[in-house]
PDB file of all heavy atoms in Angstrom:
ATOM      1  N   GLY F   1      -5.809  -6.416  -1.858  1.00  0.00           N
ATOM      2  CA  GLY F   1      -4.847  -5.456  -2.312  1.00  0.00           C
ATOM      3  C   GLY F   1      -3.472  -5.868  -1.801  1.00  0.00           C
ATOM      4  O   GLY F   1      -3.309  -6.118  -0.611  1.00  0.00           O
ATOM      5  N   VAL F   2      -2.450  -5.851  -2.692  1.00  0.00           N
ATOM      6  CA  VAL F   2      -1.087  -6.195  -2.295  1.00  0.00           C
ATOM      7  C   VAL F   2      -0.095  -5.244  -2.969  1.00  0.00           C
ATOM      8  O   VAL F   2      -0.260  -4.930  -4.134  1.00  0.00           O
ATOM      9  CB  VAL F   2      -0.745  -7.662  -2.664  1.00  0.00           C
ATOM     10  CG1 VAL F   2      -1.455  -8.607  -1.834  1.00  0.00           C
ATOM     11  CG2 VAL F   2      -0.962  -7.940  -4.126  1.00  0.00           C
ATOM     12  N   ASP F   3       0.863  -4.771  -2.180  1.00  0.00           N
ATOM     13  CA  ASP F   3       1.960  -4.022  -2.736  1.00  0.00           C
ATOM     14  C   ASP F   3       3.010  -4.935  -3.210  1.00  0.00           C
ATOM     15  O   ASP F   3       3.308  -6.012  -2.597  1.00  0.00           O
ATOM     16  CB  ASP F   3       2.531  -3.101  -1.621  1.00  0.00           C
ATOM     17  CG  ASP F   3       3.449  -2.056  -2.222  1.00  0.00           C
ATOM     18  OD1 ASP F   3       3.371  -1.739  -3.382  1.00  0.00           O
ATOM     19  OD2 ASP F   3       4.285  -1.480  -1.416  1.00  0.00           O
ATOM     20  N   LEU F   4       3.597  -4.654  -4.371  1.00  0.00           N
ATOM     21  CA  LEU F   4       4.516  -5.586  -5.040  1.00  0.00           C
ATOM     22  C   LEU F   4       5.969  -5.203  -4.778  1.00  0.00           C
ATOM     23  O   LEU F   4       6.303  -4.042  -4.611  1.00  0.00           O
ATOM     24  CB  LEU F   4       4.282  -5.559  -6.531  1.00  0.00           C
ATOM     25  CG  LEU F   4       2.823  -5.977  -6.943  1.00  0.00           C
ATOM     26  CD1 LEU F   4       2.648  -5.853  -8.472  1.00  0.00           C
ATOM     27  CD2 LEU F   4       2.490  -7.334  -6.461  1.00  0.00           C
ATOM     28  N   VAL F   5       6.823  -6.225  -4.704  1.00  0.00           N
ATOM     29  CA  VAL F   5       8.241  -6.053  -4.572  1.00  0.00           C
ATOM     30  C   VAL F   5       8.746  -5.217  -5.773  1.00  0.00           C
ATOM     31  O   VAL F   5       8.407  -5.493  -6.914  1.00  0.00           O
ATOM     32  CB  VAL F   5       8.998  -7.386  -4.501  1.00  0.00           C
ATOM     33  CG1 VAL F   5      10.495  -7.176  -4.483  1.00  0.00           C
ATOM     34  CG2 VAL F   5       8.555  -8.150  -3.235  1.00  0.00           C
ATOM     35  N   LYS F   6       9.598  -4.247  -5.477  1.00  0.00           N
ATOM     36  CA  LYS F   6      10.129  -3.382  -6.542  1.00  0.00           C
ATOM     37  C   LYS F   6      11.509  -2.882  -6.041  1.00  0.00           C
ATOM     38  O   LYS F   6      12.036  -3.432  -5.096  1.00  0.00           O
ATOM     39  CB  LYS F   6       9.189  -2.254  -6.872  1.00  0.00           C
ATOM     40  CG  LYS F   6       8.857  -1.381  -5.653  1.00  0.00           C
ATOM     41  CD  LYS F   6       7.774  -0.373  -5.908  1.00  0.00           C
ATOM     42  CE  LYS F   6       6.426  -1.014  -6.111  1.00  0.00           C
ATOM     43  NZ  LYS F   6       5.910  -1.702  -4.932  1.00  0.00           N
ATOM     44  N   ASP F   7      12.067  -1.886  -6.730  1.00  0.00           N
ATOM     45  CA  ASP F   7      13.382  -1.448  -6.319  1.00  0.00           C
ATOM     46  C   ASP F   7      13.314  -0.848  -4.902  1.00  0.00           C
ATOM     47  O   ASP F   7      12.387  -0.184  -4.505  1.00  0.00           O
ATOM     48  CB  ASP F   7      13.947  -0.426  -7.316  1.00  0.00           C
ATOM     49  CG  ASP F   7      13.167   0.876  -7.310  1.00  0.00           C
ATOM     50  OD1 ASP F   7      12.109   0.917  -7.971  1.00  0.00           O
ATOM     51  OD2 ASP F   7      13.633   1.806  -6.627  1.00  0.00           O
ATOM     52  N   VAL F   8      14.391  -1.093  -4.151  1.00  0.00           N
ATOM     53  CA  VAL F   8      14.429  -0.763  -2.732  1.00  0.00           C
ATOM     54  C   VAL F   8      14.253   0.723  -2.511  1.00  0.00           C
ATOM     55  O   VAL F   8      13.588   1.142  -1.596  1.00  0.00           O
ATOM     56  CB  VAL F   8      15.690  -1.310  -2.066  1.00  0.00           C
ATOM     57  CG1 VAL F   8      15.804  -0.824  -0.607  1.00  0.00           C
ATOM     58  CG2 VAL F   8      15.705  -2.830  -2.117  1.00  0.00           C
ATOM     59  N   ASP F   9      14.919   1.531  -3.332  1.00  0.00           N
ATOM     60  CA  ASP F   9      14.841   2.999  -3.149  1.00  0.00           C
ATOM     61  C   ASP F   9      13.405   3.509  -3.176  1.00  0.00           C
ATOM     62  O   ASP F   9      13.043   4.344  -2.399  1.00  0.00           O
ATOM     63  CB  ASP F   9      15.629   3.723  -4.239  1.00  0.00           C
ATOM     64  CG  ASP F   9      17.149   3.546  -3.999  1.00  0.00           C
ATOM     65  OD1 ASP F   9      17.566   3.163  -2.905  1.00  0.00           O
ATOM     66  OD2 ASP F   9      17.930   3.837  -4.932  1.00  0.00           O
ATOM     67  N   THR F  10      12.608   2.997  -4.125  1.00  0.00           N
ATOM     68  CA  THR F  10      11.217   3.387  -4.212  1.00  0.00           C
ATOM     69  C   THR F  10      10.450   2.988  -2.989  1.00  0.00           C
ATOM     70  O   THR F  10       9.616   3.765  -2.448  1.00  0.00           O
ATOM     71  CB  THR F  10      10.539   2.767  -5.472  1.00  0.00           C
ATOM     72  OG1 THR F  10      11.242   3.241  -6.633  1.00  0.00           O
ATOM     73  CG2 THR F  10       9.059   3.133  -5.547  1.00  0.00           C
ATOM     74  N   MET F  11      10.696   1.800  -2.470  1.00  0.00           N
ATOM     75  CA  MET F  11       9.966   1.324  -1.301  1.00  0.00           C
ATOM     76  C   MET F  11      10.386   2.092  -0.059  1.00  0.00           C
ATOM     77  O   MET F  11       9.513   2.454   0.794  1.00  0.00           O
ATOM     78  CB  MET F  11      10.183  -0.187  -1.116  1.00  0.00           C
ATOM     79  CG  MET F  11       9.543  -1.031  -2.184  1.00  0.00           C
ATOM     80  SD  MET F  11       9.599  -2.850  -1.912  1.00  0.00           S
ATOM     81  CE  MET F  11      11.389  -3.139  -2.102  1.00  0.00           C
ATOM     82  N   VAL F  12      11.638   2.389   0.110  1.00  0.00           N
ATOM     83  CA  VAL F  12      12.107   3.126   1.263  1.00  0.00           C
ATOM     84  C   VAL F  12      11.528   4.534   1.231  1.00  0.00           C
ATOM     85  O   VAL F  12      11.090   5.064   2.271  1.00  0.00           O
ATOM     86  CB  VAL F  12      13.654   3.171   1.370  1.00  0.00           C
ATOM     87  CG1 VAL F  12      14.139   4.108   2.421  1.00  0.00           C
ATOM     88  CG2 VAL F  12      14.202   1.752   1.601  1.00  0.00           C
ATOM     89  N   ALA F  13      11.539   5.153   0.119  1.00  0.00           N
ATOM     90  CA  ALA F  13      11.040   6.552  -0.012  1.00  0.00           C
ATOM     91  C   ALA F  13       9.571   6.621   0.405  1.00  0.00           C
ATOM     92  O   ALA F  13       9.126   7.632   0.926  1.00  0.00           O
ATOM     93  CB  ALA F  13      11.248   7.089  -1.413  1.00  0.00           C
ATOM     94  N   ALA F  14       8.820   5.577   0.091  1.00  0.00           N
ATOM     95  CA  ALA F  14       7.371   5.559   0.380  1.00  0.00           C
ATOM     96  C   ALA F  14       7.161   5.610   1.925  1.00  0.00           C
ATOM     97  O   ALA F  14       6.059   6.040   2.362  1.00  0.00           O
ATOM     98  CB  ALA F  14       6.701   4.340  -0.167  1.00  0.00           C
ATOM     99  N   TYR F  15       8.135   5.206   2.707  1.00  0.00           N
ATOM    100  CA  TYR F  15       7.995   5.189   4.156  1.00  0.00           C
ATOM    101  C   TYR F  15       8.967   6.174   4.801  1.00  0.00           C
ATOM    102  O   TYR F  15       9.194   6.092   6.050  1.00  0.00           O
ATOM    103  CB  TYR F  15       8.250   3.771   4.669  1.00  0.00           C
ATOM    104  CG  TYR F  15       7.224   2.795   4.163  1.00  0.00           C
ATOM    105  CD1 TYR F  15       7.436   2.146   2.917  1.00  0.00           C
ATOM    106  CD2 TYR F  15       6.020   2.540   4.820  1.00  0.00           C
ATOM    107  CE1 TYR F  15       6.468   1.299   2.405  1.00  0.00           C
ATOM    108  CE2 TYR F  15       5.043   1.671   4.314  1.00  0.00           C
ATOM    109  CZ  TYR F  15       5.288   1.070   3.096  1.00  0.00           C
ATOM    110  OH  TYR F  15       4.305   0.234   2.604  1.00  0.00           O
ATOM    111  N   ASN F  16       9.464   7.100   4.059  1.00  0.00           N
ATOM    112  CA  ASN F  16      10.409   8.080   4.595  1.00  0.00           C
ATOM    113  C   ASN F  16      10.348   9.337   3.733  1.00  0.00           C
ATOM    114  O   ASN F  16      11.327   9.757   3.130  1.00  0.00           O
ATOM    115  CB  ASN F  16      11.856   7.511   4.622  1.00  0.00           C
ATOM    116  CG  ASN F  16      12.783   8.334   5.435  1.00  0.00           C
ATOM    117  OD1 ASN F  16      12.378   8.922   6.449  1.00  0.00           O
ATOM    118  ND2 ASN F  16      14.024   8.397   5.055  1.00  0.00           N
ATOM    119  N   ASP F  17       9.194   9.982   3.666  1.00  0.00           N
ATOM    120  CA  ASP F  17       8.990  11.116   2.768  1.00  0.00           C
ATOM    121  C   ASP F  17       9.863  12.291   3.129  1.00  0.00           C
ATOM    122  O   ASP F  17      10.251  12.462   4.305  1.00  0.00           O
ATOM    123  CB  ASP F  17       7.522  11.546   2.768  1.00  0.00           C
ATOM    124  CG  ASP F  17       7.073  12.064   4.145  1.00  0.00           C
ATOM    125  OD1 ASP F  17       6.788  11.222   5.018  1.00  0.00           O
ATOM    126  OD2 ASP F  17       7.065  13.252   4.344  1.00  0.00           O
ATOM    127  N   SER F  18      10.134  13.143   2.159  1.00  0.00           N
ATOM    128  CA  SER F  18      11.026  14.266   2.370  1.00  0.00           C
ATOM    129  C   SER F  18      10.493  15.343   3.313  1.00  0.00           C
ATOM    130  O   SER F  18      11.271  16.111   3.830  1.00  0.00           O
ATOM    131  CB  SER F  18      11.356  14.865   1.005  1.00  0.00           C
ATOM    132  OG  SER F  18      10.134  15.320   0.373  1.00  0.00           O
ATOM    133  N   THR F  19       9.177  15.369   3.504  1.00  0.00           N
ATOM    134  CA  THR F  19       8.581  16.394   4.347  1.00  0.00           C
ATOM    135  C   THR F  19       8.458  15.967   5.816  1.00  0.00           C
ATOM    136  O   THR F  19       8.119  16.783   6.682  1.00  0.00           O
ATOM    137  CB  THR F  19       7.207  16.852   3.856  1.00  0.00           C
ATOM    138  OG1 THR F  19       6.375  15.670   3.751  1.00  0.00           O
ATOM    139  CG2 THR F  19       7.308  17.448   2.504  1.00  0.00           C
ATOM    140  N   GLY F  20       8.736  14.689   6.073  1.00  0.00           N
ATOM    141  CA  GLY F  20       8.715  14.228   7.481  1.00  0.00           C
ATOM    142  C   GLY F  20       7.381  13.830   8.042  1.00  0.00           C
ATOM    143  O   GLY F  20       7.258  13.560   9.216  1.00  0.00           O
ATOM    144  N   VAL F  21       6.348  13.715   7.226  1.00  0.00           N
ATOM    145  CA  VAL F  21       5.017  13.354   7.709  1.00  0.00           C
ATOM    146  C   VAL F  21       5.045  11.915   8.226  1.00  0.00           C
ATOM    147  O   VAL F  21       4.469  11.621   9.273  1.00  0.00           O
ATOM    148  CB  VAL F  21       3.943  13.480   6.572  1.00  0.00           C
ATOM    149  CG1 VAL F  21       2.637  13.041   7.111  1.00  0.00           C
ATOM    150  CG2 VAL F  21       3.908  14.907   6.069  1.00  0.00           C
ATOM    151  N   THR F  22       5.727  10.977   7.546  1.00  0.00           N
ATOM    152  CA  THR F  22       5.775   9.613   7.975  1.00  0.00           C
ATOM    153  C   THR F  22       6.515   9.526   9.324  1.00  0.00           C
ATOM    154  O   THR F  22       6.127   8.704  10.208  1.00  0.00           O
ATOM    155  CB  THR F  22       6.443   8.739   6.925  1.00  0.00           C
ATOM    156  OG1 THR F  22       5.889   8.936   5.656  1.00  0.00           O
ATOM    157  CG2 THR F  22       6.328   7.256   7.278  1.00  0.00           C
ATOM    158  N   ALA F  23       7.528  10.303   9.501  1.00  0.00           N
ATOM    159  CA  ALA F  23       8.294  10.290  10.760  1.00  0.00           C
ATOM    160  C   ALA F  23       7.320  10.773  11.895  1.00  0.00           C
ATOM    161  O   ALA F  23       7.321  10.156  13.008  1.00  0.00           O
ATOM    162  CB  ALA F  23       9.461  11.226  10.698  1.00  0.00           C
ATOM    163  N   GLU F  24       6.539  11.764  11.658  1.00  0.00           N
ATOM    164  CA  GLU F  24       5.598  12.249  12.674  1.00  0.00           C
ATOM    165  C   GLU F  24       4.541  11.157  12.967  1.00  0.00           C
ATOM    166  O   GLU F  24       4.133  11.000  14.097  1.00  0.00           O
ATOM    167  CB  GLU F  24       4.904  13.545  12.232  1.00  0.00           C
ATOM    168  CG  GLU F  24       5.770  14.758  12.356  1.00  0.00           C
ATOM    169  CD  GLU F  24       6.241  14.985  13.788  1.00  0.00           C
ATOM    170  OE1 GLU F  24       5.352  15.053  14.679  1.00  0.00           O
ATOM    171  OE2 GLU F  24       7.458  15.049  14.025  1.00  0.00           O
ATOM    172  N   PHE F  25       4.120  10.483  11.917  1.00  0.00           N
ATOM    173  CA  PHE F  25       3.145   9.388  12.078  1.00  0.00           C
ATOM    174  C   PHE F  25       3.712   8.271  12.961  1.00  0.00           C
ATOM    175  O   PHE F  25       3.035   7.786  13.896  1.00  0.00           O
ATOM    176  CB  PHE F  25       2.759   8.831  10.705  1.00  0.00           C
ATOM    177  CG  PHE F  25       1.913   7.636  10.721  1.00  0.00           C
ATOM    178  CD1 PHE F  25       0.564   7.696  11.131  1.00  0.00           C
ATOM    179  CD2 PHE F  25       2.421   6.374  10.417  1.00  0.00           C
ATOM    180  CE1 PHE F  25      -0.260   6.555  11.125  1.00  0.00           C
ATOM    181  CE2 PHE F  25       1.609   5.261  10.407  1.00  0.00           C
ATOM    182  CZ  PHE F  25       0.257   5.336  10.770  1.00  0.00           C
ATOM    183  N   THR F  26       4.960   7.883  12.716  1.00  0.00           N
ATOM    184  CA  THR F  26       5.578   6.813  13.491  1.00  0.00           C
ATOM    185  C   THR F  26       5.745   7.236  14.967  1.00  0.00           C
ATOM    186  O   THR F  26       5.430   6.474  15.843  1.00  0.00           O
ATOM    187  CB  THR F  26       6.893   6.422  12.879  1.00  0.00           C
ATOM    188  OG1 THR F  26       6.710   6.033  11.515  1.00  0.00           O
ATOM    189  CG2 THR F  26       7.519   5.253  13.645  1.00  0.00           C
TER     190      THR F  26
END
């Protein structure tokens, strides 16, 4: 399984969700 290069905004959002769950994970 590989994630593909795409527009930067979509990739950044996937690792910085609006609810802050990813921040808590990090």
Side-chain angles (χ1 to χ4, degrees):
V2 290
D3 193 21
L4 301 178
V5 174
K6 57 189 68 65
D7 67 278
V8 174
D9 287 345
T10 297
M11 292 187 292
V12 170
Y15 297 87
N16 194 33
D17 65 279
S18 58
T19 57
V21 179
T22 310
E24 283 302 306
F25 173 73
T26 304

